[in-house]
Amino acid sequence: MKNPTPTKVLEALAIIAITGLTATPLALLAARSLAQSWYWPSLTPQVWSVRAWKYVFSPTADVLPALATSLSVAMVVTLFAVIVALPAARVLAWEEFRAKRAVIFALLLPVLTPPLAATMGVHALFLRYGLTDTLIGVALSHLTLTVPYATLMLTGSFSRLDPDYEAQARTLGAKTIDVWRSVTFPAIAPGLAVAASFAFLISWSQYLTTLLIGGARIVTLPLTLVAFQWGRR
Amino acid sequence: MKTIKKKHLFAQLLFSTFGALLFSQTLIGCGNTAPSSRSALTAEQFSRSRWDAVIEQANGGEINFAMWSGDEARNRYYQNTVAAKVKQQYGVTLRFLPTNDVADIVNKLLNEKGAGKTSGGTIDLVWINGENFRTAKQGGVLWGPFAEALPNIKHFAEDARQRDFGTLVEGYEAPYQRAQFVIAYDTARAPDPPRSIEKLREWIKTHPGRFTYLAPPDFTGSAFIRHILLFYLKRDSTGGAFDGKFDEQRYQRAAAATVAYLNEIKPHLWRKGETYPTSPKEADRLFANSEIDFTMSYGPSFASEHIARGEYPPTTRTFVFGEGTIGNYSYLAVPFNASNPAGALVVINHLMSPPHSLDQGRALGSLFPLLPDGLTTEERAAVVALPLGPATLPAAELAKHQLSEPDAQYLERLEKDWREKVLKQ
Amino acid sequence: MLLNFTVRRWLMLAPALAVIGVLFAGGLALAAAQSLGYFAPTGENALTLRHYVSLVDDREIYASLWLTLKLATAATMISAVAGSALALGLREVARRSRTINLLLQIPLSVPHLAMAGALITVIAPSGLLARGAYALGFIQQPADFPAFINDRYGAGIVLSYVLKEAPFIALMTLALLARLGDEYEQAARVLGASAWQRFRHVTLPLVAPAVVSSSLMVFAFIFGAFEVPFILGRPFPAMLSVVAQQRYLDVNLAVRPGAIALAVVSALVTAALAWAYMRLTRALIGLERPFVL
């Protein structure tokens, strides 16, 4: 059966939109990083140069160590967030109970609140408990934002999995760990991947939190870049 | 079944890698948090110490310097040349914390003080001045006093040592670099720039849409409107000559005139004055792309640096008003909970020395900040021989047209009045 | 299972709630305490409502609130429509290849500031579009080009967020569509429903949960964000979080509790709007649980 025309048009438009959306910002950013002089009214840079890239990878810019730190922090955060989110998401997806609305709201709280107030408060709290200037402290501070997103996404994954499958597997004699490996995990794997990558991205791009909590010891990529990009004294 | 097995094997591998990395990072993280085991020098101990004892205590230590890092050339110079020099001469390892805005650092210190973290701080040295210094001093987050006891303090002018934006320094920060407000223009677009505040007003009216200034509280924008205020403060002969101190009546009169001036030029500004650029990077972009014909900065060599990087057209030059422009100093301070104050003091003193100032002048085009009296003949000759960029005004010219910063209260009041009476109209 | 269901349920929720309760709520309580007068940076430590009261008389707050509401709503609605259209359009393609999901994640990984920067390069009065217009002789100087950034309507801000959030909403919706399959629509077609009827009565209600919940997150995010509005907006009126941020960082420490009070009020407004939006969509689309993803 052939697809009706409106759908085909929509599909074509969508593909164009998504390719444009992904390619254009990247192309522009790449062009800007390679352009030494690119001002009005010239449509292409007047002077090209790899100077910016050379600087970024030089030892001075500290970009590579910052990259490594960003990577470690983000991975630790992702792992923690997913471990914490999995059981919670399972409950939210499969069970009904009176306090459910309140729990969802509580989980949404960090997402809804303007980051400023929460960050300053979290910093004061961490100071009292000696969590500042440590990798673990920074990772924990990122958790407040990543756990809600991860939980909500995994709730979606779980809600599309029928709990009966697990029950059946158990009736057939499978142990809990086998149920997880053969039934649950494969079913939620795509959603898990999305949730994990989201948590990773959020942790990766934190600036203010990392600055406050990490101090001078934990220097991540956004710190190095922000100081560059929007310098004001 | 096979595909599932492969998938979950891969996932297991991924998770175990995470786990291993997590474990190792925890270990490394723990290692990193141990602050230096030597006990931190207190201000009291310092006041009783001899300078060579301080140098000795600093030897072998490490300090973290929160220095504004938005400039590649500066970063390169400090991280390579300066760090090497400091290591070689004093045995101190200099590390840098990338800083966008020193206000963030001051905030961090205030939070730390509030939570009782009075030692083992991760920042040993801060580049600071003006309002941020006032906030920090008021909040009690600075170590000191120390500045007057440093050997190289004698090279700096009295007024720099006494007051910073009108706030009493009292030894809590040491002067280190000098700056003066200059205005850049493109000779190709505006061959004859208006060299006084009144001429500027005329120029703006005859060239609508070609001028704007940064919105306070941006540092540079705030400086621009302060020039206009200073202009009216000095013209006001009621009650004697202006002495820089804050006076409510004087302020009211001058502010009224300033607000009138700014509102008068407003409809002739870029975008009809409905919006203003909010960061220097934005102003740079507008200037380089011919949206506006002037831009400003506190760094006399900023235009030359931009030309060298290809960011400004090579025909750019700078000028100062005939009435003069405001010059000020930036300072170095030590946080109250610094882990290695001795090391910080040694570095501060080094950065205040004639050899360093000359070297930085050669490398970055920075304005030479020291008094000529304390210099040797060779050093004085070297100052004269410092290279200038194509758009940098000579030091003598700048000195002839230098004004001092009025009291910081003028700044605060004016910023508020600007917001209420100019921006929101 | 030895543990009864309720105990097990709360044990499983415990880690997530602990993270929120301890790490987040604890921090927030501390900040809120400051807005109520405790732990003031100027030294006072007593309950007072004056920081909140002072917000009432502040003309700037109302202008900011109105602007923030307008822009956040506009950006969210456009993102929701564009995102769902994108998802519906890519549905077939997504079934055939996994790369679409990957492609959608690319705009998500571009930081907001970078997207804003790329936008400036294109639509600024001296940007690429303007330079093209100049090359074609339509304009003589940047000032002749229409203003899309730092403008009265916040067009640049809206566009910047749409470019990043529409793919996000599309991603969430596609995930839901992938699981649902097209059995319902096939059944409707077999029963004689037209394309429009299928869309309005089957497809739309099916994707609504994903669109609604992701739109809520987008709205809340935009409402509280400040870097992009700072770069692409005007100094006055500025979006609420920009105002709060600037006040928080004011050199005059006495202003700070007021800034926190503003942030708290802002959070409450967002929560109230989210609640209202949920009730509204439930009424319009007749869903039982509009918030299940």
Side-chain angles (χ1 to χ4, degrees):
Chain A
M1 223 190 200
K2 279 220 317 243
N3 270 329
T5 332
T7 322
K8 265 272 188 263
V9 170
L10 187 62
E11 182 172 315
L13 283 175
I15 296 186
I16 295 176
I18 194 64
T19 346
L21 206 57
T22 46
T24 323
L26 293 179
L28 280 171
L29 291 174
R32 264 173 49 169
S33 68
L34 291 169
Q36 179 161 309
S37 298
W38 193 9
Y39 37 76
W40 173 274
S42 174
L43 277 164
T44 51
Q46 285 105 339
V47 180
W48 296 91
S49 148
V50 287
R51 194 190 41 122
W53 287 95
K54 283 213 296 231
Y55 180 67
V56 158
F57 287 109
S58 74
T60 315
D62 271 343
V63 164
L64 290 178
L67 196 73
T69 315
S70 273
L71 211 61
S72 345
V73 171
M75 288 204 285
V76 169
V77 170
T78 307
L79 190 64
F80 274 159
V82 164
I83 290 178
V84 165
L86 273 171
R90 200 189 144 101
V91 168
L92 288 177
W94 288 349
E95 305 190 28
E96 284 303 318
F97 53 101
R98 283 245 295 261
K100 187 166 167 181
R101 207 67 83 72
V103 168
I104 296 185
F105 181 72
L107 279 175
L108 275 183
L109 216 50
V111 173
L112 293 180
T113 326
L116 181 67
T119 311
M120 294 301 167
V122 167
H123 183 222
L125 197 70
F126 275 30
L127 277 170
R128 276 170 213 278
Y129 294 105
L131 283 169
T132 48
D133 310 321
T134 65
L135 201 79
I136 289 293
V138 174
L140 284 176
S141 70
H142 290 185
L143 274 185
T144 54
L145 206 51
T146 50
V147 163
Y149 277 108
T151 313
L152 293 174
M153 283 184 201
L154 283 175
T155 309
S157 290
F158 271 106
S159 66
R160 290 187 282 280
L161 172 65
D162 196 331
D164 282 343
Y165 286 118
E166 279 198 356
Q168 283 177 22
R170 234 173 264 129
T171 335
L172 290 169
K175 296 197 291 272
T176 317
I177 185 72
D178 293 320
V179 173
W180 162 256
R181 275 179 19 180
S182 325
V183 178
T184 326
F185 181 73
I188 61 168
L192 188 64
V194 174
S197 46
F198 220 71
F200 188 88
L201 281 176
I202 293 178
S203 167
W204 181 263
S205 55
Q206 288 301 298
Y207 165 64
L208 197 57
T209 326
T210 316
L211 175 68
L212 285 179
I213 315 264
R217 296 266 153 76
I218 318 289
V219 178
T220 56
L221 207 55
L223 262 69
T224 352
L225 290 183
V226 169
F228 250 133
Q229 271 255 309
W230 311 106
R232 60 191 153 94
R233 266 231 283 136
Chain B
M1 252 358 211
K2 252 204 192 145
T3 2
I4 295 179
K5 281 220 177 89
K6 254 200 242 168
K7 254 203 302 202
H8 91 242
L9 192 68
F10 174 65
Q12 278 183 336
L13 203 67
L14 211 61
F15 276 123
S16 21
T17 325
F18 274 20
L21 271 153
L22 158 64
F23 187 61
S24 57
Q25 281 305 323
T26 323
L27 291 181
I28 297 175
C30 286
N32 271 346
T33 61
S36 81
S37 51
R38 65 193 73 217
S39 56
L41 182 71
T42 66
E44 216 264 305
Q45 288 168 338
F46 173 61
S47 63
R48 288 184 278 116
S49 314
R50 281 172 33 240
W51 183 244
D52 28 353
V54 177
I55 296 186
E56 220 177 278
Q57 190 179 16
N59 192 359
E62 176 183 294
I63 70 156
N64 279 315
F65 183 5
M67 178 182 83
W68 179 66
S69 48
D71 182 356
E72 287 174 43
R74 198 191 160 88
N75 292 350
R76 230 189 315 247
Y77 174 67
Y78 269 80
Q79 291 186 33
N80 296 331
T81 317
V82 178
K85 200 77 211 252
V86 163
K87 182 80 192 236
Q88 178 216 13
Q89 254 184 290
Y90 304 99
V92 174
T93 308
L94 191 55
R95 295 183 68 227
F96 296 88
L97 170 67
T99 308
N100 179 34
D101 187 348
V102 66
D104 292 336
I105 303 291
V106 174
N107 263 315
K108 180 169 155 43
L109 293 174
L110 287 167
N111 278 344
E112 288 179 354
K113 174 143 198 206
K117 182 170 175 161
T118 51
S119 67
T122 50
I123 305 177
D124 301 291
L125 183 56
V126 176
W127 181 20
I128 195 173
N129 79 338
E131 322 157 312
N132 291 306
F133 170 68
R134 197 163 77 118
T135 312
K137 188 169 175 239
Q138 274 184 353
V141 295
L142 295 177
W143 189 97
F146 68 90
E148 290 299 314
L150 294 175
N152 282 328
I153 192 72
K154 64 181 193 223
H155 292 294
F156 285 87
E158 242 343 279
D159 60 335
R161 292 156 68 167
Q162 295 302 329
R163 281 173 188 277
D164 177 5
F165 261 76
T167 316
L168 284 170
V169 171
E170 293 179 327
Y172 279 90
E173 55 176 9
Y176 138 75
Q177 275 182 190
R178 197 153 66 91
Q180 186 161 340
F181 192 83
V182 297
I183 306 175
Y185 66 106
D186 186 356
T187 46
R189 284 179 259 155
D192 190 20
R195 292 174 194 266
S196 78
I197 291 191
E198 302 199 290
K199 290 216 194 98
L200 179 65
R201 175 173 33 200
E202 295 319 308
W203 194 96
I204 293 175
K205 286 186 175 166
T206 47
H207 298 80
R210 309 299 307 170
F211 182 89
T212 190
Y213 54 96
L214 283 150
D218 176 271
F219 204 54
T220 317
S222 175
F224 173 73
I225 61 176
R226 216 149 57 240
H227 279 86
I228 309 200
L229 183 72
L230 203 51
F231 174 72
Y232 287 112
L233 279 170
K234 295 174 83 166
R235 270 167 66 142
D236 182 10
S237 46
T238 338
F242 178 59
D243 61 355
K245 298 215 184 46
F246 184 76
D247 177 88
E248 181 67 35
Q249 305 306 321
R250 288 198 100 108
Y251 171 73
Q252 296 285 4
R253 292 191 293 268
T258 309
V259 166
Y261 180 107
L262 292 171
N263 277 324
E264 194 183 334
I265 60 173
K266 186 171 170 178
H268 307 280
L269 293 175
W270 174 74
R271 297 285 196 102
K272 304 205 182 59
E274 288 168 13
T275 182
Y276 300 84
T278 47
S279 73
K281 270 269 186 296
E282 196 184 332
D284 282 346
R285 184 178 62 80
L286 296 178
F287 175 71
N289 284 313
S290 302
E291 286 194 52
I292 56 178
D293 293 331
F294 296 91
T295 185
M296 318 156 202
S297 169
Y298 258 112
S301 58
F302 91 108
S304 302
E305 289 164 23
H306 279 290
I307 295 176
R309 285 198 295 263
E311 289 159 13
Y312 281 3
T315 43
T316 310
R317 298 289 178 265
T318 57
F319 73 94
V320 290
F321 290 132
E323 302 101 351
T325 57
I326 301 178
N328 69 14
Y329 286 82
S330 46
Y331 296 76
L332 294 168
V334 181
F336 73 112
N337 60 5
S339 306
N340 189 359
L345 292 175
V346 166
V347 173
I348 294 178
N349 192 56
H350 171 80
L351 294 176
M352 291 162 73
S353 65
H356 170 82
S357 304
L358 278 171
D359 198 45
Q360 184 165 326
R362 274 188 286 265
L364 301 178
S366 308
L367 195 57
F368 190 75
L370 311 179
L371 294 170
D373 316 353
L375 302 176
T376 67
T377 354
E378 295 96 31
E379 285 168 347
R380 257 177 265 179
V383 173
V384 172
L386 281 174
L388 291 172
T392 314
L393 292 169
E397 168 90 11
L398 289 171
K400 239 188 344 177
H401 295 99
Q402 191 189 18
L403 305 167
S404 351
E405 287 278 10
D407 189 294
Q409 273 196 279
Y410 282 114
L411 180 157
E412 266 180 50
R413 294 288 301 275
L414 187 61
E415 279 187 5
K416 252 212 245 148
D417 280 340
W418 180 81
R419 245 197 123 71
E420 293 303 316
K421 301 182 186 156
V422 179
L423 179 64
K424 292 187 186 175
Q425 290 315 316
Chain C
M1 282 269 103
L2 294 171
L3 304 161
N4 80 23
F5 284 128
T6 318
V7 173
R8 207 174 66 130
R9 167 192 306 154
W10 288 103
L11 268 179
M12 289 174 77
L13 287 174
L17 289 178
V19 165
I20 307 293
V22 172
L23 294 182
F24 177 77
L28 193 63
L30 226 73
Q34 277 197 320
S35 73
L36 289 170
Y38 296 102
F39 313 120
T42 42
E44 309 135 357
N45 202 357
L47 178 67
T48 170
L49 287 175
R50 64 186 165 90
H51 300 297
Y52 286 95
V53 171
S54 71
L55 290 179
V56 175
D57 285 328
D58 196 332
R59 193 172 72 101
E60 181 169 12
I61 305 284
Y62 294 107
S64 290
L65 182 63
W66 180 229
L67 180 74
T68 313
L69 278 174
K70 277 196 303 189
L71 293 184
T73 313
T76 308
M77 286 197 334
I78 301 177
S79 301
V81 170
S84 15
L86 210 57
L88 289 172
L90 292 174
R91 199 176 173 184
E92 288 302 318
V93 185
R95 239 195 287 255
R96 291 196 295 269
S97 88
R98 284 282 167 87
T99 37
I100 287 296
N101 267 307
L102 212 68
L103 271 186
L104 275 176
Q105 290 198 33
I106 294 183
L108 288 183
S109 50
V110 173
H112 276 95
L113 280 180
M115 185 63 87
L119 205 61
I120 291 180
T121 312
V122 176
I123 62 176
S126 55
L128 291 176
L129 280 180
R131 296 183 200 189
Y134 174 81
L136 292 171
F138 293 140
I139 61 172
Q140 300 309 313
Q141 48 165 358
D144 298 333
F145 191 74
F148 292 118
I149 60 173
N150 309 115
D151 62 312
R152 244 183 7 167
Y153 305 104
I157 300 176
V158 171
L159 190 56
S160 180
Y161 281 123
V162 168
L163 289 177
K164 281 223 27 142
E165 306 302 338
F168 170 68
I169 296 185
L171 201 67
M172 300 289 114
T173 315
L174 266 179
L176 180 61
L177 279 173
R179 276 290 155 183
L180 286 177
D182 57 357
E183 294 115 23
Y184 293 106
E185 281 125 322
Q186 297 285 31
R189 182 187 297 173
V190 161
L191 290 170
S194 73
W196 170 250
Q197 284 172 321
R198 288 201 302 275
F199 177 71
R200 167 75 178 84
H201 297 285
V202 181
T203 318
L204 210 53
L206 282 177
V207 297
V211 176
V212 167
S213 44
S214 42
S215 304
L216 272 175
M217 288 194 262
V218 165
F219 182 84
F221 176 74
I222 298 179
F223 202 85
F226 69 88
E227 313 116 326
V228 169
F230 181 69
I231 304 289
L232 295 178
R234 298 188 149 182
F236 177 81
M239 282 178 65
L240 219 51
S241 283
V242 176
V243 176
Q245 169 86 338
Q246 286 191 324
R247 290 186 184 188
Y248 191 87
L249 294 176
D250 196 308
V251 276
N252 181 3
L253 290 178
V255 172
R256 191 175 291 196
I260 300 184
L262 183 57
V264 170
V265 168
S266 183
L268 289 175
V269 170
T270 319
L273 287 171
W275 183 83
Y277 184 38
M278 267 168 59
R279 304 300 308 249
L280 193 67
T281 17
R282 185 192 297 192
L284 280 180
I285 309 187
L287 291 169
E288 256 309 301
R289 301 175 301 171
F291 199 74
V292 172
L293 284 160

